[in-house]
Amino acid sequence: MYNLRKALEENKLLEIKVKLNEFNPVDIANLLEDLDHEETLKAFRLLNKDLAVEVFSNLSSEKQQQLIEATSDEEISRIVSSMFLDDTVDLIEEMPAGIVSKILRNTSPAHRKLINQFLKYPDDSAGSVMTVEYVALRTDMTVKDALAKIRKYGIKNESVSDCFAVDKERKLEGIVPINQLIINADDTKIADIMTDNIEKVEVDSDQEYVAHLFRKYDLSNMPVVDKEGRLVGIITVDDIVDVIDQENTEDFQKMAAMNPSDKEYLKESVFALAKHRILWLLILMISATATGTIIRKYETTLQSVVILAAFIPMLMDTGGNAGSQSSTLVIRGLALGEIKTSDIWKILWKEFRVSLIVGIVLAGLNFLRILCFDKVELKIIIVICLSLFFTVVIAKVVGGILPIIAKKLHFDPAIMASPLITTIVDACALMIYFSTATILLHI
Amino acid sequence: MYNLRKALEENKLLEIKVKLNEFNPVDIANLLEDLDHEETLKAFRLLNKDLAVEVFSNLSSEKQQQLIEATSDEEISRIVSSMFLDDTVDLIEEMPAGIVSKILRNTSPAHRKLINQFLKYPDDSAGSVMTVEYVALRTDMTVKDALAKIRKYGIKNESVSDCFAVDKERKLEGIVPINQLIINADDTKIADIMTDNIEKVEVDSDQEYVAHLFRKYDLSNMPVVDKEGRLVGIITVDDIVDVIDQENTEDFQKMAAMNPSDKEYLKESVFALAKHRILWLLILMISATATGTIIRKYETTLQSVVILAAFIPMLMDTGGNAGSQSSTLVIRGLALGEIKTSDIWKILWKEFRVSLIVGIVLAGLNFLRILCFDKVELKIIIVICLSLFFTVVIAKVVGGILPIIAKKLHFDPAIMASPLITTIVDACALMIYFSTATILLHI
């Protein structure tokens, strides 16, 4: 990568100007992140106007704030008016009050009104991920009118391959791929070349549902309408990629027993990180006490055959791992829509059979291992291996169906992941272990 | 949803024809999945020709096979020649040999050559996810020539908003957004309106790297070139959404100690499921034996203060959970490129501080809980809570840095997730527990 800092120190301004303007705005933004305040300003001012806007959109909020503080009102006005509306809204949500008022002071009243409207859409709604940079065509226009409109106003968002057909009340009627405007004759009516069987969502639809539609229908963009069916924005698939990443991150966090947070790890404060983690650790810690109670109940058993304690970690860990495997597959299947709650009996039957195979193999190998390497009575080995087998079976069945039950009860299935399953399976494992021991060893 | 089966039973063919042709092909495919063989054929033949191709592409491989077996050579030839090339390649990869030869017999020699070439691209490479449905324009063409070419050949893939500019040797030179063809004058040269600073990949690039570029640069499509820089295909973002889902599923599976599989859970056989799970369970089971060895070493301690055993599950579980939280955040951060291996010291310091807070809160609350509800000696409570505190600190630090070390050693960081971290932390927890007990209780 280009050594921008060195070039700035040597004051090679012309070289920097030429070089930077050849780069992708995302890469330039990354380069600027590593510079100090003075250097950032110096480099930013060397960018061409259009490129500057794109680079600005890709900067971290700290850098954006620095730049706005050091920038004249005119320049702010120019940058903000050229940014995509969704980027402007993100910017305003991140900035402190003083900076926000500096930005809003420099936007036109119409633009300000739009921004305010966008700020009202709830987080995670279609409204919060949509953008307004699209081409709307009236259904009664001809191809010639449409082309004239596009030539006059341009297409701000070049990655959108469709225009959107609306009636006089701006009600969404259909989609017109841009290439239809190229291949059809000038006097063709938009109404005749539009596709009217289209997927759309309302502004307050959940973004996870929107992502589901994009996946299901392989969409590259989707119109967003208000309660009356009027077109208010579009969602492009590159924003859906971000939504998918965000939803997956949330699932990973929930499955590791944390409150989800969409902030990057390195940018989150130590207190926030601790706060997200403590509650679940506490709940699970107290639940694990139940497992302790089981051990206390069998204190005398344990005192007479203390070797039994040595195999508790192996039993608990294997049970927990076996259960987590099953719950993870089912949670993921539910998230991708590959598994429905009505599949519960299929899953029960499948996990039962898988657990028989896995249980027999693990118990068998464990039997041989202890027999060969440990000095343990045969009776006790049998207790250990029988317990292991039953633990694996219960773990897999419980791990497989608890996420489905959670979903049926309208909880997030992701909470039924490794930590909670482990706690439940631990209790089962010890109960099986000690009752088998009491019976077989006649204690 | 439309009750297709009922309508078929009542033989309302005209109604079905009208209804079905209004639906989205993905939805029709889902409807057909629930029908038996006869019904499927009957319904499929009612579809308009173009729609039939799209529906066919969206069917499961079982249904596709049924249809091909029951379909005439001409019809197969028509369907396959209209399908997107990447869908045809997927189809051929899924079908048994007899069906494959029936398909290939009905494709043109040129098409067959392309298919064969695609079949050679390794799984997970850019070549395996790309498609050939794009418009290539020569750099020396004018806008008028380009429009004429598009009008003549059409644009098969309507979701692609770009044309690709190549030189005489088909070397990729730039990208031309379709709207540039609309807003520029007829005699403008393609070379003058193309963007030449573009992201591209080679056919054998890894699909995970391709997904990374799409994310980083917010792309909607990307050209794929061969070793000589000649354009051979494009990748569209809807296929990248599938790649992202697949990569995430793999991470979830690895993090739950399974060999990854890209087959849907419900479609995978019981033996395959068991096979993916046994190896890691076995490795972890044997590792957990080490933890057992620690307990055996302290058998006498345990025999004299058997109550200590009751708190082993709580200590092990809390340690495992605390460690998994940290490792999950770091693994996810590495996967999204938000964390680099050079951040190891930052993470160590951050996790250390988080663990101090979490450790003090958990140990403190646990102290109060045991004091109030359990009849345990104060000395023993102190042993338990001190061990809990140190276990949490070690768990979080180990959980935070092991994924980074794995990445530095070119292992997949995802293996350093809950199961392995739990096994390591368990051993630490018991060592701390028993040594603290020996020292404080003077056993």
Side-chain angles (χ1 to χ4, degrees):
Chain A
M1 206 72 215
Y2 181 51
N3 193 339
L4 181 55
R5 171 165 279 158
K6 190 156 167 267
L8 279 168
E9 274 165 15
E10 293 167 6
N11 224 17
K12 295 182 181 164
L13 297 190
L14 196 67
E15 181 200 286
I16 297 173
K17 198 173 161 64
V18 173
K19 279 272 182 190
L20 280 193
N21 286 299
E22 274 172 8
F23 287 161
N24 185 301
V26 178
D27 294 326
I28 302 176
N30 286 342
L31 283 176
L32 295 191
E33 292 295 338
D34 295 332
L35 301 182
D36 68 26
H37 186 42
E38 289 298 309
E39 291 167 337
T40 311
L41 270 179
K42 209 162 154 189
F44 188 74
R45 294 211 168 111
L46 292 173
L47 299 172
N48 294 341
K49 286 190 175 182
D50 289 346
L51 188 63
V53 174
E54 287 189 68
V55 170
F56 183 82
S57 296
N58 281 297
L59 285 172
S60 68
S61 43
E62 293 79 28
K63 280 280 165 190
Q64 287 178 327
Q65 187 174 338
Q66 280 179 14
L67 280 175
I68 295 178
E69 280 166 351
T71 304
S72 71
D73 281 11
E74 280 150 273
E75 222 175 324
I76 291 176
S77 165
R78 192 181 53 72
I79 291 177
V80 173
S81 70
S82 310
M83 276 168 78
F84 285 140
L85 185 63
D86 53 342
D87 289 335
T88 313
V89 173
D90 289 346
L91 173 69
I92 285 175
E93 282 179 330
E94 293 287 330
M95 293 295 114
I99 302 286
V100 168
S101 68
K102 187 170 180 184
I103 297 170
L104 291 180
R105 207 167 55 223
N106 290 295
T107 46
S108 69
H111 201 166
R112 213 150 51 218
K113 203 177 146 196
L114 258 181
I115 291 172
N116 272 320
Q117 192 187 318
F118 263 67
L119 286 170
K120 279 184 209 134
Y121 295 126
D123 267 3
D124 302 345
S125 70
S128 75
V129 281
M130 74 184 185
T131 171
V132 293
E133 282 78 17
Y134 59 86
V135 176
L137 302 173
R138 284 266 298 276
T139 46
D140 54 2
M141 275 179 168
T142 61
V143 165
K144 195 178 169 187
D145 302 333
L147 290 175
K149 182 175 177 183
I150 292 174
R151 282 190 194 111
K152 189 166 165 197
Y153 297 106
I155 293 179
K156 202 170 168 189
N157 194 339
E158 301 208 318
S159 66
V160 180
S161 55
D162 298 307
C163 300
F164 298 86
V166 296
D167 70 6
K168 282 175 197 157
E169 276 91 40
R170 282 196 73 79
K171 277 204 181 126
L172 180 67
E173 295 286 330
I175 284 183
V176 190
I178 290 182
N179 62 56
Q180 289 295 325
L181 299 177
I182 295 179
I183 58 183
N184 280 288
D186 272 358
D187 57 351
T188 320
K189 281 261 183 296
I190 292 301
D192 297 333
I193 54 172
M194 71 185 189
T195 314
D196 51 6
N197 169 22
I198 51 174
E199 300 304 322
K200 60 189 173 197
V201 286
E202 287 194 6
V203 274
D204 52 5
S205 303
D206 186 77
Q207 63 175 10
E208 205 166 347
Y209 172 68
V210 179
H212 164 76
L213 291 180
F214 267 87
R215 270 198 194 106
K216 183 171 175 192
Y217 297 110
D218 277 347
L219 304 174
S220 57
N221 60 66
M222 181 153 60
V224 182
V225 296
D226 64 12
K227 291 255 171 286
E228 284 75 39
R230 287 182 303 237
L231 182 64
V232 289
I234 63 166
I235 296 176
T236 54
V237 64
D238 56 303
D239 290 322
I240 289 302
V241 168
D242 296 340
V243 169
I244 291 176
D245 280 339
Q246 195 183 322
E247 301 286 346
N248 277 313
T249 300
E250 270 185 26
D251 274 357
F252 276 110
Q253 290 171 337
K254 281 186 205 150
M255 288 170 75
M258 283 174 279
N259 287 331
S261 154
D262 58 3
K263 237 182 160 172
E264 279 187 29
Y265 173 82
L266 289 174
K267 290 185 183 160
E268 192 133 52
S269 75
V270 170
F271 277 99
L273 283 171
K275 208 182 82 188
H276 295 318
R277 301 183 190 181
I278 281 180
L279 183 69
W280 269 105
L281 283 182
L282 208 60
I283 295 173
L284 293 166
M285 185 177 84
I286 292 171
S287 314
T289 315
T291 319
T293 317
I294 297 170
I295 295 187
R296 294 186 77 168
K297 213 183 122 194
Y298 289 97
E299 231 167 70
T300 44
T301 314
L302 204 55
Q303 205 142 23
S304 52
V305 198
V306 79
I307 182 84
L308 285 178
F311 293 93
I312 290 179
M314 186 274 292
L315 267 182
M316 280 175 46
D317 280 354
T318 309
N321 292 333
S324 309
Q325 289 180 333
S326 310
S327 71
T328 298
L329 287 184
V330 174
I331 291 169
R332 184 66 181 156
L334 286 167
L336 291 179
E338 293 168 357
I339 292 177
K340 292 183 215 86
T341 51
S342 56
D343 293 322
I344 185 161
W345 301 113
K346 270 192 227 168
I347 289 167
L348 188 75
W349 177 226
K350 200 153 203 169
E351 283 304 315
F352 179 67
R353 286 175 298 161
V354 172
S355 70
L356 289 184
I357 302 177
V358 173
I360 288 169
V361 172
L362 290 186
L365 289 172
N366 206 34
F367 184 87
L368 291 176
R369 198 198 58 76
I370 304 179
L371 199 67
C372 297
F373 298 105
D374 284 345
K375 281 179 207 133
V376 181
E377 250 181 277
L378 185 65
K379 256 192 192 169
I380 295 179
I381 306 185
I382 294 174
V383 169
I384 294 166
C385 293
L386 270 182
S387 305
L388 180 64
F389 172 75
F390 287 116
T391 300
V392 168
V393 173
I394 290 185
K396 289 223 162 283
V397 171
V398 166
I401 62 173
L402 277 193
I404 308 240
I405 293 175
K407 173 113 188 191
K408 279 206 180 185
L409 299 175
H410 303 286
F411 289 110
D412 188 331
I415 59 167
M416 290 299 176
S418 177
L420 203 55
I421 296 287
T422 300
T423 308
I424 297 168
V425 168
D426 280 355
C428 299
L430 289 182
M431 227 147 20
I432 296 170
Y433 190 37
F434 285 115
S435 18
T436 321
T438 327
I439 297 166
L440 290 192
L441 305 179
H442 311 291
I443 319 170
Chain B
M1 206 69 213
Y2 181 52
N3 193 336
L4 180 56
R5 172 166 278 159
K6 191 157 167 269
L8 280 167
E9 275 165 14
E10 293 166 6
N11 224 19
K12 293 182 181 164
L13 297 190
L14 196 67
E15 181 199 287
I16 297 173
K17 198 173 160 63
V18 173
K19 279 271 183 190
L20 280 193
N21 286 298
E22 276 172 4
F23 288 162
N24 184 300
V26 179
D27 294 324
I28 303 175
N30 286 341
L31 283 175
L32 295 190
E33 292 294 337
D34 296 332
L35 302 180
D36 68 25
H37 186 43
E38 289 299 307
E39 291 168 337
T40 310
L41 270 179
K42 210 163 153 187
F44 188 74
R45 294 210 169 112
L46 292 172
L47 299 172
N48 294 340
K49 288 191 174 181
D50 289 346
L51 189 60
V53 175
E54 287 188 67
V55 171
F56 184 82
S57 296
N58 281 296
L59 286 171
S60 67
S61 43
E62 294 80 27
K63 280 280 164 189
Q64 287 178 328
Q65 187 175 340
Q66 280 180 14
L67 281 176
I68 295 178
E69 279 165 353
T71 304
S72 72
D73 281 10
E74 281 149 89
E75 222 175 324
I76 291 176
S77 166
R78 192 181 52 72
I79 290 177
V80 173
S81 69
S82 310
M83 276 169 77
F84 284 138
L85 185 63
D86 53 342
D87 289 335
T88 314
V89 173
D90 288 346
L91 174 70
I92 286 175
E93 283 180 329
E94 293 286 330
M95 293 296 114
I99 301 287
V100 169
S101 68
K102 188 170 179 183
I103 297 171
L104 290 180
R105 206 167 56 225
N106 290 295
T107 45
S108 68
H111 201 169
R112 212 151 51 218
K113 202 177 146 197
L114 257 182
I115 292 172
N116 273 322
Q117 190 187 320
F118 264 66
L119 286 170
K120 280 183 211 136
Y121 296 126
D123 268 4
D124 303 346
S125 70
S128 74
V129 283
M130 75 182 184
T131 172
V132 293
E133 283 78 18
Y134 58 86
V135 177
L137 303 173
R138 284 266 297 276
T139 45
D140 54 1
M141 277 180 167
T142 61
V143 165
K144 196 178 169 187
D145 303 333
L147 290 175
K149 181 173 178 186
I150 291 174
R151 283 193 193 108
K152 189 165 167 197
Y153 297 106
I155 292 179
K156 203 170 168 189
N157 195 338
E158 301 208 317
S159 66
V160 180
S161 54
D162 297 307
C163 299
F164 298 85
V166 295
D167 69 8
K168 282 174 199 161
E169 276 91 38
R170 280 195 76 78
K171 280 211 179 117
L172 180 68
E173 295 285 330
I175 284 183
V176 189
I178 290 184
N179 61 56
Q180 288 295 327
L181 298 177
I182 295 179
I183 57 182
N184 279 290
D186 272 358
D187 56 352
T188 319
K189 281 262 184 295
I190 293 300
D192 296 333
I193 56 173
M194 71 185 189
T195 313
D196 51 6
N197 169 21
I198 51 175
E199 299 304 322
K200 60 190 174 197
V201 285
E202 287 194 7
V203 274
D204 53 4
S205 304
D206 186 76
Q207 62 175 8
E208 206 168 345
Y209 172 68
V210 179
H212 163 75
L213 291 180
F214 267 87
R215 266 196 198 109
K216 183 171 174 192
Y217 297 110
D218 276 349
L219 304 174
S220 57
N221 59 66
M222 180 154 61
V224 182
V225 296
D226 64 12
K227 291 255 172 284
E228 283 76 40
R230 286 182 304 238
L231 183 64
V232 290
I234 64 166
I235 297 176
T236 55
V237 65
D238 56 304
D239 290 321
I240 288 303
V241 168
D242 297 339
V243 169
I244 291 177
D245 280 340
Q246 197 183 321
E247 300 286 347
N248 276 312
T249 301
E250 270 185 26
D251 274 357
F252 277 110
Q253 290 171 338
K254 281 186 206 153
M255 288 171 73
M258 284 175 280
N259 287 331
S261 153
D262 58 3
K263 238 185 159 169
E264 279 187 30
Y265 173 82
L266 290 173
K267 291 185 181 158
E268 191 133 53
S269 77
V270 170
F271 277 99
L273 282 172
K275 209 183 80 188
H276 295 318
R277 301 182 190 181
I278 281 180
L279 183 68
W280 269 104
L281 283 181
L282 208 59
I283 294 174
L284 293 166
M285 185 178 82
I286 291 171
S287 314
T289 315
T291 319
T293 317
I294 296 170
I295 295 188
R296 293 184 79 168
K297 211 183 122 195
Y298 289 97
E299 231 167 67
T300 43
T301 315
L302 204 55
Q303 205 144 21
S304 53
V305 197
V306 81
I307 182 84
L308 285 178
F311 294 92
I312 290 179
M314 186 275 293
L315 267 183
M316 278 174 48
D317 280 355
T318 309
N321 291 333
S324 309
Q325 290 181 331
S326 309
S327 71
T328 300
L329 287 185
V330 174
I331 291 168
R332 184 66 182 156
L334 286 168
L336 292 179
E338 293 169 357
I339 292 177
K340 294 183 214 87
T341 49
S342 56
D343 294 323
I344 186 162
W345 301 112
K346 271 192 225 168
I347 289 168
L348 187 77
W349 176 227
K350 201 155 202 167
E351 283 304 316
F352 178 67
R353 285 174 298 161
V354 173
S355 70
L356 289 184
I357 302 177
V358 173
I360 289 170
V361 173
L362 290 185
L365 289 171
N366 206 34
F367 184 87
L368 291 176
R369 197 198 59 73
I370 305 179
L371 199 67
C372 298
F373 299 105
D374 284 346
K375 281 179 206 132
V376 180
E377 248 181 281
L378 185 66
K379 254 191 192 170
I380 296 179
I381 306 184
I382 293 174
V383 169
I384 295 165
C385 293
L386 269 182
S387 306
L388 180 64
F389 172 77
F390 286 116
T391 301
V392 168
V393 173
I394 288 183
K396 288 222 162 285
V397 171
V398 166
I401 62 173
L402 276 193
I404 308 241
I405 292 174
K407 173 113 189 193
K408 279 206 179 185
L409 299 174
H410 302 286
F411 289 112
D412 189 332
I415 58 166
M416 289 298 176
S418 178
L420 202 55
I421 296 287
T422 300
T423 309
I424 296 169
V425 168
D426 280 356
C428 300
L430 288 182
M431 227 147 21
I432 296 171
Y433 191 35
F434 286 116
S435 19
T436 322
T438 329
I439 296 167
L440 290 192
L441 306 179
H442 310 292
I443 320 169

